[in-house]
Amino acid sequence: MLHPIDVADDLMTEVKHSYAAANIDTLPITMERGNGAYVYDSEGKSYIDMLTGIAVLNFGHGHPRLVQALKQQADTLAVMPRIFENKPLNALLKKACTLCHMDQGLPINGGVEAVETAIKLIRKWAYTVKNIAEDQAEIITCDDSFHGRTVTAISMSTVAKYKAHFGPLTPGMTSIPFNDIEAFKRSINKNTAAFLVEPIQGEAGVIIPDAGYLKQCEKLCKENNVLFILDEIQTGLGRTGKNFAMEHENLNPDGILLGKALGGGLLPISLFLGKSHLMGVIQPGEHGSTLGGNPLASAVAHEALNLLIEENLAEHAANLGDYFLAQLKTIKSNAILAVRGKGLFIALDINTAIISSNEVVKRLVAAGLLSLNTRNKSIRLLPPLNITKDEIDQAFMIIKKVFAEW
Ligand SMILES: *Cc1c(COP(=O)(O)O)cnc(C)c1O
């Protein structure tokens, strides 16, 4: 018999205040159950989920095929270090490489681990292939980007709150304005190893670059022997209306990072995928992760990629995204400064002189919709990609009603 997880309400409060570190600001609502595009709290109230674990639940809550893949693999073989071959991992890597037009992949667990992995391979490539002087390699990233929370990842961030008192930070990072090709041109020098960029900035508030910007970046990279690396941890797996955001401009990067939804909304798994000239630099024993590429996570990720294709989720996201965006643009409210998005990757900029974005999120929660406060200036709407048109209509009515107040 399993021990029941039965925590009294007052204990939940106690847990929050005395056992959980305060790194996250939690709302006093306990979510208990999820099904498709809906979650239910401990009182039985339902919410349309447009927070989706922060762009993790592209397949919705509890997709039966993903749950089946999880259970089946858990009953078969969950963990086996890569000292031995395992079939789910090989199947996953083949599928992921084929879909992304990459040659090889390195499996790890969370998004930021894929970022760390990319940086290590980029640096080794810089010294052993490009012949940059040891310890001089530079990686160019963009202002307001988000690549995770490790010390090295925050070293690439321009957000003060993410970095304050966490130094000393990792050197070798240069940040330039996003969507500014001249700034990129100026920043390249003989020590530039790579340009690491989100094709659409997620945490910054769904910031979509001008058409052609990324293609020009790719061209500059090729001309200057600089690696072009896309962080698709948030934009990947159908979110923006293509399987991967790079497909909007037919980009041909040297490497791509996947995470978040790759685990099917069930568990953590991430991948750094790249072309052989980059991936080939890593040798046995130089990098790894205890649980990286475990059969359990690999089996679920493999099925997630199958679902992405078989259920045409990218196309669905493109169509419903256009529809939802057009609807949202009809809302007349002084609290909305701008609405933008691509596929089901949508943000509303909030006029914080009228109402804080955090308060908007709370009002939406009270009205039955989960969204995400983004940098205290926008809210992000990230529905599951298999959400129905009816559910989008319901969500729209909730949003419209809440914003009618301002
Ligand atoms: C979420 C995210 C990460 C970090 O992923 P974690 O799983 O939280 O470590 C990195 N890059 C991008 C673009 C992300 O959206």
Side-chain angles (χ1 to χ4, degrees):
M1 271 285 280
L2 297 176
H3 286 280
I5 298 175
D6 184 13
V7 183
D9 281 353
D10 57 339
L11 189 58
M12 286 303 289
T13 318
E14 188 195 319
V15 167
K16 186 188 163 205
H17 290 299
S18 51
Y19 293 106
N23 63 318
I24 305 290
D25 200 7
T26 313
L27 291 175
I29 297 172
T30 304
M31 293 301 178
E32 240 169 38
R33 207 159 51 79
N35 182 18
Y38 287 88
V39 278
Y40 303 85
D41 69 15
S42 52
E43 319 266 86
K45 178 176 167 173
S46 71
Y47 306 81
I48 300 180
D49 192 353
M50 295 203 171
L51 167 61
T52 51
I54 313 184
V56 165
L57 292 151
N58 290 18
F59 309 93
H61 290 270
H63 194 293
R65 266 176 60 185
L66 295 171
V67 172
Q68 194 194 343
L70 179 84
K71 286 181 176 167
Q72 201 168 300
Q73 194 59 44
D75 280 338
T76 311
L77 178 71
V79 168
M80 175 52 62
R82 291 189 53 211
I83 295 163
F84 297 95
E85 297 284 343
N86 83 66
K87 282 184 186 169
L89 175 61
N90 286 340
L92 167 65
L93 290 176
K94 181 175 177 193
K95 179 132 241 134
C97 282
T98 307
L99 284 174
C100 296
H101 308 290
M102 292 293 157
D103 297 318
Q104 291 185 319
L106 201 157
I108 47 278
N109 309 290
V112 78
E113 269 185 84
V115 173
E116 292 279 339
T117 300
I119 289 169
K120 285 171 80 173
L121 270 73
I122 288 166
R123 285 179 166 180
K124 189 158 184 210
W125 175 89
Y127 304 126
T128 62
V129 178
K130 188 168 177 175
N131 288 319
I132 292 176
E134 203 64 32
D135 291 344
Q136 299 303 306
E138 281 174 26
I139 296 174
I140 300 174
T141 58
C142 289
D143 296 354
D144 277 334
S145 65
F146 184 81
H147 299 291
R149 301 288 202 157
T150 59
V151 171
T152 295
I154 61 170
S155 304
M156 301 189 288
S157 176
T158 51
V159 180
K161 187 176 177 175
Y162 295 169
K163 310 208 280 194
H165 305 302
F166 296 132
L169 300 175
T170 305
M173 310 295 175
T174 307
S175 187
I176 58 166
F178 184 59
N179 197 24
D180 182 340
I181 193 71
E182 292 305 320
F184 181 44
K185 223 178 258 176
R186 281 195 303 273
S187 69
I188 297 174
N189 64 61
K190 67 179 190 337
N191 291 332
T192 307
F195 181 47
L196 172 63
V197 64
E198 299 162 85
I200 294 175
Q201 290 189 326
E203 301 299 309
V206 188
I207 308 299
I208 304 165
D210 295 339
Y213 165 71
L214 291 166
K215 198 73 197 170
Q216 279 179 284
C217 290
E218 177 183 305
K219 188 164 169 273
L220 275 177
C221 283
K222 302 258 139 82
E223 285 167 7
N224 291 281
N225 196 22
V226 167
L227 296 168
F228 182 51
I229 311 288
L230 295 179
D231 182 346
E232 291 235 30
I233 290 170
Q234 191 156 164
T235 53
L237 284 96
R239 174 59 58 193
T240 70
K242 296 276 186 192
N243 287 335
F244 305 97
M246 62 179 172
E247 295 169 19
H248 288 291
E249 291 196 4
N250 274 319
L251 301 176
N252 184 22
D254 300 288
I256 169 172
L257 289 69
L258 301 180
K260 288 200 162 97
L262 184 65
L266 292 174
L267 34 66
I269 178 169
S270 61
L271 288 174
F272 178 55
L273 304 160
K275 296 281 166 66
S276 52
H277 61 93
L278 169 58
M279 302 311 285
V281 301
I282 202 81
Q283 296 299 313
E286 291 179 347
H287 182 59
S289 155
T290 306
L291 288 165
N294 68 77
L296 184 63
S298 299
V300 172
H302 178 250
E303 195 58 19
L305 292 178
N306 281 322
L307 273 182
L308 173 73
I309 305 307
E310 286 167 29
E311 296 193 343
N312 287 320
L313 290 180
E315 199 186 324
H316 196 69
N319 294 336
L320 275 186
D322 284 350
Y323 173 72
F324 193 24
L325 205 59
Q327 294 254 60
L328 292 168
K329 283 181 176 166
T330 66
I331 299 178
K332 302 262 176 293
S333 167
N334 293 324
I336 301 177
L337 293 177
V339 182
R340 69 182 161 266
K342 199 152 189 144
L344 287 170
F345 199 28
I346 293 172
L348 308 183
D349 288 342
I350 304 301
N351 183 351
T352 55
I354 293 182
I355 182 90
S356 75
S357 53
N358 194 34
E359 190 57 30
V360 172
V361 167
K362 284 185 189 169
R363 302 278 184 98
L364 288 169
V365 168
L369 184 124
L370 307 188
S371 64
L372 184 61
N373 177 17
T374 302
R375 302 252 169 105
N376 287 323
K377 59 182 174 58
S378 313
I379 62 166
R380 248 180 307 168
L381 300 171
L382 308 162
L385 307 187
N386 53 9
I387 193 167
T388 65
K389 189 162 171 289
D390 274 358
E391 289 163 342
I392 290 277
D393 287 338
Q394 285 171 38
F396 173 68
M397 291 316 293
I398 292 172
I399 295 165
K400 189 174 167 162
K401 203 163 154 202
V402 165
F403 277 102
E405 220 177 301
W406 308 290

